[in-house]
């Protein structure tokens, strides 16, 4: 079984490999020499270095206290989550699954071997507790592919102890800088090794300041320059309407790729975030049909709808379980009859287990991986229409206004209906259109600024109101099902009725608040 460890560390280099006196660091009472360890690590990647391009590292390492397979995902500068699996000859299936969204069907093979002599010191406080581990690593890198060469260097690594205060690393760095030690120009050993062992590159290369490998491809497939003559500025700033739409599409594609491991590991909220990314993509393709050719994007939207539906099975259950559990917790004790909490927990666990198992199969499916490849291809050669080259202030604003017009008709229709199933359905449709309008405004916000940001805020508020209503509709349906099961088992269904009444009240409150909220939004909507 794999386990995960949050790793917070900083890397340094110096013309002199000697460490300064670290007992002068605030909080350090003593420095304990832990001796020298020999580490031998082989890093694996695809032929086009897809993992390195997204700052993900996969290695098989022997030596030291944590020999085995290590898979590292970036969290923030200097912070990574390291997932470990026992040492084996081949890549463990559980780690292979976590890199699938990045590597797809490409083979993963050894690319670099790093052998290091690690001289370790422990920084301890006055109670002999570990504050950080400082090591001086003498590294020998060897490229295992092509005609790559070898490189050697020495670096200093400072890793914070588990549950340590990150501010302590600032104190250590202050002392190191005073001694002439400087932060490493490379984000990782692998990045430096790839830079300095690349064919035709001198081993003394001082590039590699980026998270990924210099010259490596993007996180997914390489993206060619768009076919239209207007392109983002050299710094990546979007210029045209097409640039802004593609930037938003690219961000959502990246979210699908990057959230895949978190969904597989059942990280809280990961399914929700991935589902939102699929919805944003679908909405963007529909809202900006004047920018992107729908004959290309419509088939992609169909696959995105499929993925969103599969993600929804787990997410909808998660939302309902949380809502009902909280509502149950607010009831007075004399209104809770029977094992309601236990039945609710069992229902939630069973539904979640089944949904998560199905979702893993979806993420491994040929259809899902083909969808990711298709999104890469779309970004590499975008199907831009003539209006893609237009000024963003006009083209994007027009799209937002068009979506809001459709939303207006749906809300007005829903408000004309009497309370009941038909109105519930109409409000749910309005909720979906609210999301689309919001995502269109999000796409436009970098170009249009304040008005688009105001539109996003308005749509989020309306989405919250309509979402609470829809969640109440689904909660009441679930409560009726649970009550029937409890009754058949000879248990009291009284509490389910109380919860049902509470959900009906919440729905009425949302419906009563909607007319005034809508008048305010529609009167002041900036588009």
């Amino acid at each position: 079984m794999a386990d995960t460890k949050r790793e917070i560390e900083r890397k340094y280099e110096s013309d002199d490999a000697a460490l300064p006196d670290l007992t002068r660091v605030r909080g350090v009472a003593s420095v304990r020499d832990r001796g020298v360890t020999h580490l031998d690590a082989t890093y694996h990647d695809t032929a086009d270095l897809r993992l390195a391009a997204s700052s993900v590292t996969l290695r098989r390492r022997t030596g030291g206290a944590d020999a085995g397979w290590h898979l590292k995902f970036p969290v923030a500068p200097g912070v990574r989550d390291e997932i470990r699996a026992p040492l084996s000859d081949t890549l463990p299936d559980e780690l292979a699954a976590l890199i699938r969204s990045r590597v797809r069907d490409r083979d993963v093979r050894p690319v670099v071997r790093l052998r290091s002599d690690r001289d370790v010191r422990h920084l301890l406080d006055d109670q002999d507790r570990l504050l950080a581990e400082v090591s001086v690593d003498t590294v020998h890198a060897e490229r295992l592919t092509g005609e790559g060469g070898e490189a050697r260097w020495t670096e200093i690594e400072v890793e914070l102890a588990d549950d340590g205060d990150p501010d302590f690393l600032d104190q250590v760095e202050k002392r190191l800088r005073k001694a002439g030690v400087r932060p490493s120009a490379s984000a990782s050993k692998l990045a430096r090794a790839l830079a300095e062992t690349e064919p035709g590159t001198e081993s003394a290369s001082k590039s590699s300041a980026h998270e990924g490998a210099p010259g490596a491809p993007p996180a997914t497939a390489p993206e060619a320059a768009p076919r239209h003559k207007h392109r983002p500025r050299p710094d990546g700033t979007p210029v045209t309407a097409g640039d802004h739409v593609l930037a938003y599409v690219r961000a959502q594609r990246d979210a699908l790729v990057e959230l895949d491991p978190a969904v597989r590991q059942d990280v809280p909220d990961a399914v929700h975030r991935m589902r939102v990314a699929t919805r944003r993509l679908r909405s963007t393709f529909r809202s900006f049909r004047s920018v992107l050719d729908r004959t290309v994007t419509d088939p992609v939207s169909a696959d995105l709808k499929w993925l969103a539906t599969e993600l929804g099975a787990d997410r909808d259950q998660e939302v309902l379980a949380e809502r009902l559990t909280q509502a149950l917790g607010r009831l007075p004790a004399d209104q809770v009859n029977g094992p309601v909490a236990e039945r609710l927990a069992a229902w939630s666990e069973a539904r979640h287990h089944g949904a998560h198992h199905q979702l893993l199969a979806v993420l491994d499916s040929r259809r899902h991986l083909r969808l990711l490849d298709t999104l890469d291809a779309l970004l590499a050669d975008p199907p831009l229409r003539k209006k893609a080259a237009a000024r963003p202030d006009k083209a994007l604003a027009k799209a937002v206004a068009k979506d809001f017009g459709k939303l207006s008709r749906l809300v007005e229709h829903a408000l004309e209906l009497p309370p009941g199933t038909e109105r519930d359905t109409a409000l749910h449709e309005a909720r979906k259109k609210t999301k689309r309008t919001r995502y269109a405004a999000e796409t436009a916000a970098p170009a249009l600024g304040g008005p688009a940001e105001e539109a996003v805020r308005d749509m989020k508020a309306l989405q919250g109101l309509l979402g609470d209503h829809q969640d109440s509709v689904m909660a009441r349906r679930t409560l009726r099902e649970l009550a029937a099961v409890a009754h058949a088992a000879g248990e009291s269904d009284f509490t389910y009725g109380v919860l049902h009444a509470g959900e009906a009240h919440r729905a009425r409150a949302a419906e009563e608040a909607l007319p005034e909220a809508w008048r305010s939004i529609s009167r002041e909507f900036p588009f």
Side-chain angles (χ1 to χ4, degrees):
M1 289 293 292
D3 62 278
T4 302
K5 179 181 182 297
R6 176 61 55 89
E7 181 183 79
I8 303 176
E9 65 180 20
R10 298 183 187 179
K11 296 180 181 295
Y12 303 90
E13 53 191 45
S14 172
D15 297 329
D16 182 359
L19 287 173
D21 181 5
L22 296 177
T23 59
R24 298 178 63 181
V25 175
R26 183 188 306 171
V28 176
S30 63
V31 176
R32 183 169 301 164
D33 190 339
R34 304 298 296 180
V36 177
T37 301
H38 179 71
L39 306 175
D40 191 339
T42 300
Y43 288 79
H44 293 64
D45 207 333
T46 60
D48 57 358
L49 301 178
R50 289 174 169 241
L51 296 180
S54 56
S55 305
V56 174
T57 60
L58 172 65
R59 72 187 180 200
R60 180 186 184 275
R61 191 168 79 179
T62 58
D66 61 347
W69 287 89
H70 304 158
L71 175 60
K72 299 187 180 186
F73 291 101
V75 176
V79 183
R80 294 185 290 182
D81 279 340
E82 181 178 272
I83 303 169
R84 300 174 177 175
L87 192 65
S88 61
D89 292 335
T90 59
L91 176 62
D93 290 342
E94 54 198 314
L95 297 190
L98 295 178
I99 60 173
R100 190 156 293 133
S101 66
R102 288 175 167 86
V103 305
R104 316 286 165 75
D105 57 358
R106 278 71 172 178
D107 290 332
V108 175
R109 58 181 181 175
V111 293
V112 167
R113 183 182 184 187
L114 293 181
R115 284 168 285 181
S116 306
D117 289 323
R118 170 164 290 184
D119 191 359
V120 179
R121 278 99 167 156
H122 282 179
L123 307 187
L124 308 172
D125 65 10
D126 56 5
Q127 298 185 44
D128 216 30
R129 292 176 301 198
L130 180 66
L131 298 171
E133 179 177 285
V134 180
S135 63
V136 178
D137 294 345
T138 303
V139 185
H140 174 206
E142 179 185 1
R143 190 81 165 228
L144 301 178
T145 59
E147 299 178 357
E150 300 183 10
R152 300 176 187 272
W153 70 87
T154 299
E155 69 179 37
I156 298 170
E157 184 174 292
V158 183
E159 181 175 349
L160 189 68
D162 293 346
D163 301 321
D165 181 359
D167 289 342
F168 177 70
L169 295 182
D170 293 335
Q171 301 299 321
V172 177
E173 180 167 315
K174 183 178 180 180
R175 176 62 185 144
L176 291 175
R177 283 179 176 270
K178 284 185 177 179
V181 177
R182 57 190 178 276
S184 176
S186 178
S188 68
K189 288 184 176 67
L190 177 62
R192 182 167 182 173
L194 288 171
E196 298 190 5
T197 63
E198 189 174 5
T201 302
E202 296 182 8
S203 65
S205 170
K206 294 185 179 180
S207 57
S208 183
H210 300 290
E211 287 282 334
T220 52
E223 292 175 9
R227 289 178 290 187
H228 62 310
K229 63 181 179 180
H230 297 282
R231 297 176 183 172
R233 297 187 180 93
D235 63 357
T237 303
V239 176
T240 65
D243 293 336
H244 284 276
V245 172
L246 289 176
Y248 194 75
V249 170
R250 185 175 293 105
Q252 307 319 313
R253 185 280 312 270
D254 290 348
L256 290 182
V257 172
E258 292 164 6
L259 284 167
D260 182 284
V263 170
R264 291 176 184 274
Q265 293 177 289
D266 210 7
V267 174
D269 205 42
V271 170
H272 170 61
R273 292 162 59 201
M274 180 180 277
R275 191 184 187 192
V276 168
T278 64
R279 285 174 166 169
R280 282 177 166 144
L281 279 169
R282 284 190 69 218
S283 293
T284 301
F285 292 152
R286 292 175 68 89
S287 297
F288 298 99
R289 286 174 171 173
S290 65
V291 174
L292 297 174
D293 186 351
R294 64 176 298 179
T295 63
V296 175
T297 61
D298 279 359
V300 186
S301 292
D303 281 341
L304 289 167
K305 182 178 181 180
W306 161 77
L307 178 58
T309 300
E310 296 291 348
L311 290 164
D314 199 10
R315 173 58 182 171
D316 290 344
Q317 181 277 333
E318 181 183 29
V319 170
L320 278 177
E322 182 179 358
R323 185 183 181 98
L324 295 177
T325 300
Q326 291 178 353
L328 180 63
R330 291 192 295 266
L331 291 182
D334 61 358
Q335 292 186 13
V336 181
N337 294 345
V340 182
E342 291 80 358
R343 185 168 291 284
L344 181 57
W347 167 82
S348 175
E349 178 61 27
R351 288 288 187 92
H352 174 69
H353 179 76
H356 186 69
H357 181 76
Q358 169 63 20
L359 187 52
L360 293 181
V362 167
L363 296 180
D364 287 335
S365 70
R366 181 65 253 166
R367 184 175 184 180
H368 175 60
L369 298 178
R370 187 173 62 244
L371 169 60
L372 296 180
D373 284 340
T374 301
L375 289 170
D376 291 346
L378 185 147
L379 286 164
D381 190 16
L384 297 171
R385 301 185 66 191
K386 184 177 180 180
K387 289 187 178 180
R391 287 170 45 186
D393 54 346
K394 292 185 177 181
L396 301 186
K398 184 177 180 179
V400 177
K402 185 176 180 180
D403 278 341
F404 184 73
K406 294 178 181 178
L407 169 63
S408 296
R409 291 189 287 274
L410 287 174
V411 174
E412 296 293 345
H413 171 66
L415 291 175
E416 292 173 355
L417 296 172
T421 302
E422 190 177 356
R423 176 186 263 195
D424 291 344
T425 301
L427 289 175
H428 182 46
E429 291 302 313
R431 179 196 183 197
K432 291 190 287 187
K433 185 62 70 176
T434 301
K435 291 179 181 179
R436 183 178 301 171
T437 308
R438 171 188 169 183
Y439 300 149
E442 286 179 352
T443 305
L448 306 184
E453 292 168 359
E454 180 183 346
V456 171
R457 290 192 294 270
D458 286 344
M459 293 301 97
K460 287 179 69 175
L462 182 60
Q463 181 182 330
L465 188 62
L466 295 174
D468 192 49
H469 181 274
Q470 176 62 15
D471 288 347
S472 175
V473 171
M474 299 304 296
R476 280 176 281 161
R477 180 183 302 173
T478 299
L479 286 167
R480 288 193 293 270
E481 294 172 357
L482 290 174
V485 173
H487 181 77
E491 300 167 5
S492 170
D493 57 7
F494 170 78
T495 300
Y496 301 100
V498 173
L499 292 171
H500 189 281
E503 288 296 344
H505 175 75
R506 291 181 68 172
R508 285 194 300 273
E511 291 184 38
E512 291 169 359
L514 179 60
E516 179 57 34
W518 176 246
R519 279 193 294 271
S520 176
I521 289 172
S522 59
R523 184 172 56 246
E524 301 177 4
F525 196 74
F527 294 98

